[in-house]
Amino acid sequence: MLSLDQLRPDLAHPAGSKDLEEEGDQHGGPELPPRGPLLGSWRQDVSLNCKSSPEDCAARAWTTFYYNLLQSCLQQAGLPETVDRTLEPRQGCPGMEVTMCLLGSPSSFFSVLLEGGAQSPGNLLLCLSPSWLTKVPAAGRPAEASLLVSKAVAFHPGGLTFLEEFVPPRRVTYFLGELGPRAGRGREVAELSREVGCPLGSSAELARLLEDRLLTRQLLAQGGKVAVPATLALTYKPPQQLRGQASTQNLRLVELSGKEGQEGLVEEEVETFLQLGTLGDARQVAVKPGGWRWHGSHAMSLHPRSDPGAVVRAVLALLEKLEEEESILVEAVCPPVQVLQPAASRSLPSQPELAIRVCAVVCRTQGDRPLTSQMVCRVGRPEQPLRHQAALPQSLDTALAACGLSEPATVEALRRRVQEAAEAALDAVLALEATLSPEQRGGRQAQTDVLGVDMALTPVGPGGSLSPVLLELTSSLCLEACGLLEGQWARRGQRCQWAAAGPLVETMLRRSARHLMEGKHLLVVGAGGYSKKFVWEAARDYGLKLHLVESDPNHFASQLVQTFIHFDVTEHRKDEENARHLAEVVRARGLQLDGCLSYWDDCLVLTALLCEELGLRGCPPAAMSLAKQKSQTQAHLLQCRSPRWPAPSLYAVPCCPLQAPDDVERAARSVPLPGVMKLEFGAGAVGVRLVEDASQCRAHFARISQDLRGEADHPGIGLGWGNAMLLMEFVAGTEHDVDVVIFSGRLLGAFVSDNGPTRLPGFTETAACMPTGLAPEREAQLIQAAYQCCLGCGLLDGVFNVEMKLTASGPRLIEINPRMGGFYLRDWIQELYGVDLLLAAAMVACGIPPALPARPRARAHLVGVMCVVSQHLQALSSTASREALQALHERGLIRLNLLEEELVPGEYEEPYCSVACAGGSPGEARQRLLGLCQGLGIDAPNYPVAHFLSHFK
């Protein structure tokens, strides 16, 4: 018979491999990869060498091993092998594209790589060798370095992979390497990540802290939010973080004065510990070393609790091997789970007890909040240690079913407890990191973005209900196990709601975007009102250098920017002339701009003209003017016959422009009534009204002509262009906002929200829900319609808010707002999806394509209601005052967006604020909001919140 060596001798024994005394024949020497066959039919004649940085024999062995391991992973996942495209180097724009780079074992990162390839094609790269990366001095930061990648495996949707070379090399915007004493390239990863300026998902310094069992056990025991096993820790010259730490109920710290002559102290401490009531029903104790050097090792032994002599001997044997800042842990082994037998099986021999370990992958998300993305279990006999790669991964449901626990409520309750414990563990880690200096963290941009929380499920309390007890923190092993489980589901045609690596990839994308934009100089035209206050705060957080053009010399934003240019931008009939003058001012001041944009309706056309004058990226002025004038938007799209079906004309609604009383008469005869009258250049639904006959058309036109003549009558709604109106057909259906991100005509992202019914005959928004409650097909129709309408108007670059109606026959366009969505939309999208439309708009303006999640998934549901002064003056002055609402927001009970600074009633009002509640489902969020509105006095007979929320059932 043929041996595996005969089948694949080149893979069975990589060049120069030899056995390690401690690790056995499964590993090569300390500088060589593991031994063992990797069987498959992939090509071997691929270009793995890096011409600029040749490798020695050991390094080449690792690179070859990792390439073959990657092909094995692809083969087992049913994916095609990697295509070598190194003969045709990729051309790129250095420093202008997201480049997320992983360095380490392909099996450890496989789930991250597949998810990254799906979410951001070609931007997630796997380096199989440190020689494929180069450190160079960082421009403008003498103490930091930049990472450049010249060769990598690029991942694309569908698991397609390509071996690429990059000329010139791509600048890395996010780096995550496999660290640890057992990581094959651990030392090289640590050296590459040291003192680099790009975001790091970990560092050698953080890994040393988090993978020290005693340090993390102490950290979690102090918080009290995570249960840990009763532990006796014997430390030898403990690290700085543990000096002076007091013992807790479940953790006793004993500092040893040396490694010799400690027999009496060890015996006394062990015997006392084994008698403690905190050990509960534990029948065994584990003796294991703690410290960075020991992480991932198998130097652990199990002993009966009733045999203190054996425990003492095991401790003393380990004590001889300890180095400074290391420890020995004696911990209670969590009691196993008793298998519950169904009645039909009770005649059979009793089932054995089972040990269950669950590993939860927790990711740092938007706002530094932990999110459990996946959990995987291992089940085995209690007398044997359950190690990651020595037990098959399975879901929590399957593991509990093996123990006779399948009641849905019981499983869901335990799932919540595991999730809460895992997220509390990452919370504690983030709190520790916040106290560390950049040097202690391993760099200015180093932080922990993903954590594996390893827990035992064990009976606790009189009833013996299962609860999680935290054992240790890991990273790549848990990702690998979850990836294996997800792969099993995928082969059965199933897909989990959350891929384990999904939130991690979103964090990588978000941090990459911030890194790319740090220090960029942007000209912002128009400061806007109070509702745009977040722009200046966000710019500071992102490190953007803003230069502001604003009419009001006393605007609060004038003190928050690099440069303030006082210029009257309110007279829009002079936009072309003003754009030329502003361009001259910019050049005279010597401003070196990366981009120019506006978040304010009034200044969009001027901004487009200015971009054209300065040669900066932006939409053509003609396209911006077309989108800004509502009747012209519809008229243009009605005539837009595209060779590609569906044409934009399918979404347009007939309307007539109104400039004089005679126009009203003609429009009332040509547009089917009832109709909607609105300002041609208006914003915020000011002056929008349902009209049912010609007399109402005439009356509303006369009222608007009298009340809203110019900018002074109602600043910020577009009256600088005049007060012309339009009449359009009223479209029946539900109303929705679609916020789209477009770069060079490509749709990069879209977010759909639902609006509640308005208070007819007005159209001021009353309520909203996100994510949409529509069926996926209907949601896709809205996104396609919004995208086609933008393209039809020539809006090829930017972030746009498209208001749509969804009718029985499909979507219809209300209007296009050629800027980022207003009110609460930016905040909600950032909260739910981790995507900041403000940053996306800034990136497009700088010519950098925003790398957004290809499949954005909301983390919760938000349902909100608007408060208006005309209906809520009493409540907003008492029970729902700004101070009261702000306090609820800070406690996390509501999400508050203040849109106006003062309580000023008026006939043509805009919303004062938005109050929203979050929930795991739309129904949960809706009920919370309704109860809160009733308690605060927002719900009233003339403002029936239940009715406004009725669309979200």
Short mmCIF file of all heavy atoms in Angstrom, two decimals, residues 871-924:
data_model
loop_
_atom_site.label_atom_id
_atom_site.label_comp_id
_atom_site.label_asym_id
_atom_site.label_seq_id
_atom_site.Cartn_x
_atom_site.Cartn_y
_atom_site.Cartn_z
N GLN A 871 -47.22 71.10 18.25
CA GLN A 871 -47.99 70.06 18.94
C GLN A 871 -47.41 69.68 20.29
O GLN A 871 -48.11 69.11 21.13
CB GLN A 871 -48.07 68.81 18.06
CG GLN A 871 -48.70 69.03 16.71
CD GLN A 871 -50.14 69.49 16.83
OE1 GLN A 871 -50.92 68.94 17.61
NE2 GLN A 871 -50.50 70.51 16.06
N HIS A 872 -46.15 69.99 20.53
CA HIS A 872 -45.47 69.47 21.72
C HIS A 872 -44.82 70.56 22.57
O HIS A 872 -43.94 70.26 23.37
CB HIS A 872 -44.39 68.46 21.31
CG HIS A 872 -44.92 67.28 20.56
ND1 HIS A 872 -44.52 66.96 19.28
CD2 HIS A 872 -45.84 66.34 20.91
CE1 HIS A 872 -45.15 65.88 18.88
NE2 HIS A 872 -45.96 65.48 19.85
N LEU A 873 -45.24 71.80 22.41
CA LEU A 873 -44.60 72.88 23.16
C LEU A 873 -44.67 72.63 24.66
O LEU A 873 -43.67 72.80 25.38
CB LEU A 873 -45.23 74.23 22.81
CG LEU A 873 -44.62 75.45 23.52
CD1 LEU A 873 -43.13 75.57 23.19
CD2 LEU A 873 -45.35 76.72 23.12
N GLN A 874 -45.82 72.22 25.15
CA GLN A 874 -45.97 71.99 26.60
C GLN A 874 -45.08 70.83 27.06
O GLN A 874 -44.36 70.94 28.06
CB GLN A 874 -47.42 71.70 26.95
CG GLN A 874 -47.65 71.49 28.45
CD GLN A 874 -49.13 71.29 28.79
OE1 GLN A 874 -49.99 71.45 27.94
NE2 GLN A 874 -49.40 70.94 30.04
N ALA A 875 -45.10 69.72 26.33
CA ALA A 875 -44.27 68.56 26.71
C ALA A 875 -42.79 68.90 26.61
O ALA A 875 -42.00 68.54 27.50
CB ALA A 875 -44.61 67.37 25.84
N LEU A 876 -42.40 69.60 25.53
CA LEU A 876 -40.99 69.93 25.34
C LEU A 876 -40.49 70.96 26.35
O LEU A 876 -39.28 71.14 26.51
CB LEU A 876 -40.76 70.45 23.92
CG LEU A 876 -40.96 69.41 22.80
CD1 LEU A 876 -40.91 70.08 21.43
CD2 LEU A 876 -39.90 68.31 22.89
N SER A 877 -41.41 71.59 27.02
CA SER A 877 -41.05 72.55 28.06
C SER A 877 -41.11 71.93 29.45
O SER A 877 -40.78 72.60 30.44
CB SER A 877 -41.97 73.77 28.01
OG SER A 877 -41.94 74.37 26.73
N SER A 878 -41.54 70.68 29.56
CA SER A 878 -41.69 70.06 30.89
C SER A 878 -41.23 68.61 30.87
O SER A 878 -40.03 68.34 31.00
CB SER A 878 -43.16 70.17 31.34
OG SER A 878 -44.03 69.61 30.36
N THR A 879 -42.18 67.69 30.68
CA THR A 879 -41.85 66.26 30.79
C THR A 879 -40.84 65.79 29.76
O THR A 879 -40.07 64.86 30.01
CB THR A 879 -43.12 65.42 30.65
OG1 THR A 879 -43.81 65.82 29.46
CG2 THR A 879 -44.04 65.62 31.85
N ALA A 880 -40.86 66.39 28.56
CA ALA A 880 -39.95 65.99 27.50
C ALA A 880 -38.98 67.13 27.17
O ALA A 880 -38.66 67.37 26.01
CB ALA A 880 -40.72 65.58 26.26
N SER A 881 -38.52 67.81 28.21
CA SER A 881 -37.57 68.91 27.99
C SER A 881 -36.27 68.38 27.40
O SER A 881 -35.98 67.18 27.45
CB SER A 881 -37.28 69.62 29.31
OG SER A 881 -36.58 68.76 30.18
N ARG A 882 -35.48 69.29 26.86
CA ARG A 882 -34.20 68.88 26.28
C ARG A 882 -33.36 68.15 27.32
O ARG A 882 -32.72 67.13 27.01
CB ARG A 882 -33.44 70.09 25.76
CG ARG A 882 -32.06 69.74 25.25
CD ARG A 882 -31.28 70.95 24.80
NE ARG A 882 -31.92 71.60 23.69
CZ ARG A 882 -31.28 72.36 22.79
NH1 ARG A 882 -29.98 72.55 22.90
NH2 ARG A 882 -31.92 72.93 21.80
N GLU A 883 -33.34 68.64 28.55
CA GLU A 883 -32.54 68.02 29.61
C GLU A 883 -33.04 66.61 29.92
O GLU A 883 -32.24 65.67 30.10
CB GLU A 883 -32.57 68.88 30.86
CG GLU A 883 -31.90 70.23 30.74
CD GLU A 883 -32.72 71.24 29.95
OE1 GLU A 883 -33.95 71.02 29.79
OE2 GLU A 883 -32.14 72.23 29.47
N ALA A 884 -34.38 66.45 29.96
CA ALA A 884 -34.95 65.13 30.26
C ALA A 884 -34.64 64.14 29.14
O ALA A 884 -34.27 62.98 29.38
CB ALA A 884 -36.46 65.25 30.47
N LEU A 885 -34.80 64.60 27.89
CA LEU A 885 -34.53 63.72 26.76
C LEU A 885 -33.05 63.36 26.69
O LEU A 885 -32.68 62.22 26.38
CB LEU A 885 -34.98 64.38 25.46
CG LEU A 885 -36.49 64.59 25.30
CD1 LEU A 885 -36.79 65.36 24.01
CD2 LEU A 885 -37.24 63.26 25.30
N GLN A 886 -32.18 64.35 26.96
CA GLN A 886 -30.75 64.09 26.92
C GLN A 886 -30.35 63.07 27.98
O GLN A 886 -29.50 62.20 27.74
CB GLN A 886 -29.97 65.39 27.13
CG GLN A 886 -28.49 65.30 26.80
CD GLN A 886 -28.25 65.04 25.32
OE1 GLN A 886 -28.83 65.72 24.48
NE2 GLN A 886 -27.40 64.07 25.01
N ALA A 887 -30.97 63.15 29.16
CA ALA A 887 -30.67 62.19 30.23
C ALA A 887 -31.09 60.78 29.82
O ALA A 887 -30.37 59.81 30.07
CB ALA A 887 -31.39 62.61 31.52
N LEU A 888 -32.24 60.65 29.17
CA LEU A 888 -32.68 59.33 28.69
C LEU A 888 -31.74 58.80 27.61
O LEU A 888 -31.46 57.60 27.54
CB LEU A 888 -34.11 59.43 28.14
CG LEU A 888 -35.22 59.70 29.17
CD1 LEU A 888 -36.54 59.98 28.47
CD2 LEU A 888 -35.37 58.52 30.13
N HIS A 889 -31.26 59.70 26.76
CA HIS A 889 -30.32 59.31 25.71
C HIS A 889 -29.02 58.79 26.32
O HIS A 889 -28.49 57.75 25.89
CB HIS A 889 -30.04 60.51 24.81
CG HIS A 889 -29.01 60.27 23.75
ND1 HIS A 889 -29.30 59.69 22.53
CD2 HIS A 889 -27.67 60.50 23.74
CE1 HIS A 889 -28.20 59.59 21.82
NE2 HIS A 889 -27.20 60.08 22.52
N GLU A 890 -28.50 59.48 27.32
CA GLU A 890 -27.24 59.07 27.94
C GLU A 890 -27.38 57.75 28.68
O GLU A 890 -26.40 57.01 28.82
CB GLU A 890 -26.76 60.18 28.88
CG GLU A 890 -26.31 61.44 28.13
CD GLU A 890 -26.03 62.61 29.05
OE1 GLU A 890 -26.21 62.44 30.29
OE2 GLU A 890 -25.65 63.69 28.56
N ARG A 891 -28.57 57.44 29.14
CA ARG A 891 -28.81 56.15 29.81
C ARG A 891 -29.07 55.02 28.82
O ARG A 891 -29.22 53.87 29.21
CB ARG A 891 -30.01 56.27 30.76
CG ARG A 891 -29.76 57.16 31.97
CD ARG A 891 -31.05 57.41 32.74
NE ARG A 891 -31.68 56.17 33.17
CZ ARG A 891 -32.94 56.10 33.63
NH1 ARG A 891 -33.68 57.20 33.72
NH2 ARG A 891 -33.44 54.94 34.00
N GLY A 892 -29.11 55.34 27.53
CA GLY A 892 -29.32 54.34 26.50
C GLY A 892 -30.76 53.93 26.33
O GLY A 892 -31.05 52.94 25.64
N LEU A 893 -31.70 54.69 26.91
CA LEU A 893 -33.12 54.33 26.80
C LEU A 893 -33.74 54.85 25.52
O LEU A 893 -34.74 54.30 25.04
CB LEU A 893 -33.88 54.87 28.02
CG LEU A 893 -33.42 54.31 29.37
CD1 LEU A 893 -34.20 54.96 30.51
CD2 LEU A 893 -33.61 52.80 29.41
N ILE A 894 -33.22 55.93 24.98
CA ILE A 894 -33.71 56.47 23.72
C ILE A 894 -32.51 56.87 22.86
O ILE A 894 -31.37 56.92 23.35
CB ILE A 894 -34.64 57.70 23.91
CG1 ILE A 894 -33.83 58.89 24.47
CG2 ILE A 894 -35.84 57.36 24.75
CD1 ILE A 894 -34.60 60.21 24.44
N ARG A 895 -32.78 57.14 21.60
CA ARG A 895 -31.78 57.75 20.71
C ARG A 895 -32.35 59.11 20.31
O ARG A 895 -33.37 59.19 19.63
CB ARG A 895 -31.53 56.87 19.50
CG ARG A 895 -30.32 57.35 18.74
CD ARG A 895 -29.54 56.24 18.11
NE ARG A 895 -28.18 56.68 17.81
CZ ARG A 895 -27.14 56.47 18.60
NH1 ARG A 895 -27.31 55.80 19.72
NH2 ARG A 895 -25.94 56.91 18.28
N LEU A 896 -31.68 60.16 20.73
CA LEU A 896 -32.17 61.53 20.54
C LEU A 896 -31.35 62.23 19.48
O LEU A 896 -30.12 62.21 19.50
CB LEU A 896 -32.07 62.31 21.86
CG LEU A 896 -32.39 63.81 21.81
CD1 LEU A 896 -33.86 64.03 21.47
CD2 LEU A 896 -32.04 64.48 23.13
N ASN A 897 -32.06 62.88 18.55
CA ASN A 897 -31.42 63.75 17.56
C ASN A 897 -32.09 65.12 17.61
O ASN A 897 -33.25 65.26 17.20
CB ASN A 897 -31.54 63.16 16.15
CG ASN A 897 -30.74 61.88 15.99
OD1 ASN A 897 -31.30 60.79 16.07
ND2 ASN A 897 -29.45 62.00 15.78
N LEU A 898 -31.37 66.09 18.15
CA LEU A 898 -31.88 67.46 18.21
C LEU A 898 -31.67 68.12 16.86
O LEU A 898 -30.55 68.13 16.32
CB LEU A 898 -31.17 68.24 19.31
CG LEU A 898 -31.53 67.85 20.75
CD1 LEU A 898 -30.56 68.47 21.75
CD2 LEU A 898 -32.97 68.25 21.07
N LEU A 899 -32.74 68.70 16.31
CA LEU A 899 -32.69 69.28 14.98
C LEU A 899 -32.79 70.79 14.99
O LEU A 899 -32.43 71.44 14.00
CB LEU A 899 -33.83 68.70 14.12
CG LEU A 899 -33.90 67.16 14.11
CD1 LEU A 899 -35.12 66.68 13.35
CD2 LEU A 899 -32.63 66.56 13.53
N GLU A 900 -33.29 71.36 16.06
CA GLU A 900 -33.39 72.81 16.21
C GLU A 900 -32.86 73.19 17.58
O GLU A 900 -32.92 72.40 18.53
CB GLU A 900 -34.84 73.29 16.05
CG GLU A 900 -35.45 73.04 14.67
CD GLU A 900 -34.85 73.93 13.60
OE1 GLU A 900 -34.26 74.98 13.97
OE2 GLU A 900 -34.96 73.60 12.40
N GLU A 901 -32.36 74.41 17.69
CA GLU A 901 -31.76 74.84 18.95
C GLU A 901 -32.79 75.42 19.90
O GLU A 901 -32.66 75.30 21.12
CB GLU A 901 -30.66 75.87 18.67
CG GLU A 901 -29.80 76.19 19.88
CD GLU A 901 -28.58 77.00 19.51
OE1 GLU A 901 -28.51 77.51 18.37
OE2 GLU A 901 -27.68 77.12 20.37
N GLU A 902 -33.84 76.05 19.37
CA GLU A 902 -34.82 76.74 20.21
C GLU A 902 -36.23 76.27 19.89
O GLU A 902 -36.51 75.80 18.78
CB GLU A 902 -34.71 78.26 20.01
CG GLU A 902 -33.35 78.83 20.41
CD GLU A 902 -33.27 80.33 20.15
OE1 GLU A 902 -34.24 80.87 19.58
OE2 GLU A 902 -32.25 80.93 20.51
N LEU A 903 -37.11 76.43 20.88
CA LEU A 903 -38.52 76.10 20.70
C LEU A 903 -39.24 77.32 20.10
O LEU A 903 -39.70 78.21 20.81
CB LEU A 903 -39.15 75.73 22.05
CG LEU A 903 -38.61 74.46 22.73
CD1 LEU A 903 -39.15 74.34 24.15
CD2 LEU A 903 -38.99 73.23 21.92
N VAL A 904 -39.33 77.35 18.78
CA VAL A 904 -39.94 78.48 18.09
C VAL A 904 -41.10 77.97 17.26
O VAL A 904 -40.90 77.31 16.24
CB VAL A 904 -38.92 79.21 17.19
CG1 VAL A 904 -39.59 80.38 16.49
CG2 VAL A 904 -37.72 79.66 18.00
N PRO A 905 -42.35 78.23 17.67
CA PRO A 905 -43.51 77.78 16.88
C PRO A 905 -43.67 78.62 15.63
O PRO A 905 -43.22 79.76 15.55
CB PRO A 905 -44.68 77.98 17.85
CG PRO A 905 -44.24 79.06 18.78
CD PRO A 905 -42.75 78.94 18.89
N GLY A 906 -44.31 78.07 14.63
CA GLY A 906 -44.56 78.79 13.40
C GLY A 906 -45.39 77.94 12.47
O GLY A 906 -45.46 76.72 12.59
N GLU A 907 -46.02 78.60 11.49
CA GLU A 907 -46.89 77.87 10.56
C GLU A 907 -46.07 76.93 9.68
O GLU A 907 -46.50 75.81 9.38
CB GLU A 907 -47.67 78.86 9.69
CG GLU A 907 -48.61 78.17 8.73
CD GLU A 907 -49.40 79.16 7.89
OE1 GLU A 907 -49.26 80.37 8.10
OE2 GLU A 907 -50.16 78.69 7.01
N TYR A 908 -44.92 77.39 9.23
CA TYR A 908 -44.08 76.58 8.35
C TYR A 908 -42.92 76.01 9.15
O TYR A 908 -41.78 76.43 9.05
CB TYR A 908 -43.57 77.43 7.20
CG TYR A 908 -44.68 78.09 6.41
CD1 TYR A 908 -44.95 79.45 6.56
CD2 TYR A 908 -45.47 77.35 5.54
CE1 TYR A 908 -45.97 80.04 5.85
CE2 TYR A 908 -46.49 77.94 4.82
CZ TYR A 908 -46.75 79.30 4.98
OH TYR A 908 -47.76 79.88 4.28
N GLU A 909 -43.24 75.03 9.99
CA GLU A 909 -42.23 74.53 10.92
C GLU A 909 -41.55 73.27 10.40
O GLU A 909 -42.09 72.56 9.55
CB GLU A 909 -42.87 74.24 12.28
CG GLU A 909 -43.89 73.11 12.25
CD GLU A 909 -44.52 72.86 13.60
OE1 GLU A 909 -44.04 73.43 14.59
OE2 GLU A 909 -45.50 72.10 13.65
N GLU A 910 -40.38 73.04 10.94
CA GLU A 910 -39.66 71.79 10.74
C GLU A 910 -39.60 71.07 12.08
O GLU A 910 -39.77 71.69 13.14
CB GLU A 910 -38.25 72.08 10.21
CG GLU A 910 -38.23 72.74 8.85
CD GLU A 910 -36.83 73.02 8.36
OE1 GLU A 910 -36.17 72.09 7.86
OE2 GLU A 910 -36.38 74.18 8.48
N PRO A 911 -39.33 69.75 12.09
CA PRO A 911 -39.29 69.02 13.36
C PRO A 911 -38.23 69.60 14.31
O PRO A 911 -37.15 70.02 13.88
CB PRO A 911 -38.94 67.60 12.94
CG PRO A 911 -39.41 67.50 11.52
CD PRO A 911 -39.19 68.85 10.94
N TYR A 912 -38.57 69.58 15.60
CA TYR A 912 -37.63 70.06 16.62
C TYR A 912 -36.63 68.97 16.99
O TYR A 912 -35.44 69.23 17.17
CB TYR A 912 -38.41 70.49 17.87
CG TYR A 912 -37.53 70.80 19.06
CD1 TYR A 912 -36.80 71.98 19.13
CD2 TYR A 912 -37.40 69.89 20.10
CE1 TYR A 912 -35.99 72.27 20.20
CE2 TYR A 912 -36.58 70.16 21.19
CZ TYR A 912 -35.88 71.35 21.23
OH TYR A 912 -35.05 71.63 22.30
N CYS A 913 -37.09 67.73 17.07
CA CYS A 913 -36.19 66.62 17.43
C CYS A 913 -36.79 65.30 17.00
O CYS A 913 -37.98 65.21 16.69
CB CYS A 913 -35.88 66.62 18.93
SG CYS A 913 -37.28 66.16 19.98
N SER A 914 -35.96 64.28 17.00
CA SER A 914 -36.40 62.90 16.75
C SER A 914 -36.08 62.09 18.00
O SER A 914 -34.97 62.15 18.52
CB SER A 914 -35.68 62.32 15.53
OG SER A 914 -35.82 60.91 15.49
N VAL A 915 -37.07 61.32 18.46
CA VAL A 915 -36.90 60.45 19.62
C VAL A 915 -37.14 59.02 19.16
O VAL A 915 -38.20 58.71 18.59
CB VAL A 915 -37.89 60.81 20.75
CG1 VAL A 915 -37.76 59.83 21.91
CG2 VAL A 915 -37.64 62.23 21.22
N ALA A 916 -36.18 58.15 19.37
CA ALA A 916 -36.27 56.77 18.88
C ALA A 916 -35.95 55.79 19.98
O ALA A 916 -35.24 56.10 20.94
CB ALA A 916 -35.33 56.56 17.69
N CYS A 917 -36.46 54.57 19.82
CA CYS A 917 -36.15 53.46 20.71
C CYS A 917 -35.64 52.29 19.89
O CYS A 917 -36.07 52.08 18.75
CB CYS A 917 -37.38 53.02 21.51
SG CYS A 917 -37.84 54.17 22.83
N ALA A 918 -34.74 51.53 20.47
CA ALA A 918 -34.16 50.36 19.80
C ALA A 918 -34.79 49.09 20.35
O ALA A 918 -35.29 49.05 21.48
CB ALA A 918 -32.65 50.33 19.99
N GLY A 919 -34.74 48.04 19.54
CA GLY A 919 -35.25 46.75 19.98
C GLY A 919 -34.71 45.64 19.10
O GLY A 919 -34.18 45.88 18.02
N GLY A 920 -34.87 44.42 19.56
CA GLY A 920 -34.44 43.28 18.78
C GLY A 920 -35.33 43.00 17.59
O GLY A 920 -34.97 42.26 16.68
N SER A 921 -36.54 43.60 17.60
CA SER A 921 -37.48 43.46 16.49
C SER A 921 -38.22 44.78 16.34
O SER A 921 -38.24 45.60 17.27
CB SER A 921 -38.49 42.34 16.78
OG SER A 921 -39.33 42.71 17.88
N PRO A 922 -38.86 45.02 15.18
CA PRO A 922 -39.62 46.26 15.04
C PRO A 922 -40.73 46.38 16.08
O PRO A 922 -41.00 47.47 16.60
CB PRO A 922 -40.20 46.16 13.62
CG PRO A 922 -39.30 45.21 12.90
CD PRO A 922 -38.82 44.24 13.94
N GLY A 923 -41.38 45.25 16.39
CA GLY A 923 -42.45 45.28 17.38
C GLY A 923 -41.95 45.69 18.75
O GLY A 923 -42.59 46.48 19.45
N GLU A 924 -40.81 45.15 19.16
CA GLU A 924 -40.24 45.49 20.46
C GLU A 924 -39.89 46.98 20.52
O GLU A 924 -40.20 47.67 21.50
CB GLU A 924 -39.01 44.64 20.72
CG GLU A 924 -38.33 44.90 22.06
CD GLU A 924 -37.06 44.09 22.25
OE1 GLU A 924 -36.82 43.15 21.44
OE2 GLU A 924 -36.29 44.39 23.18
#
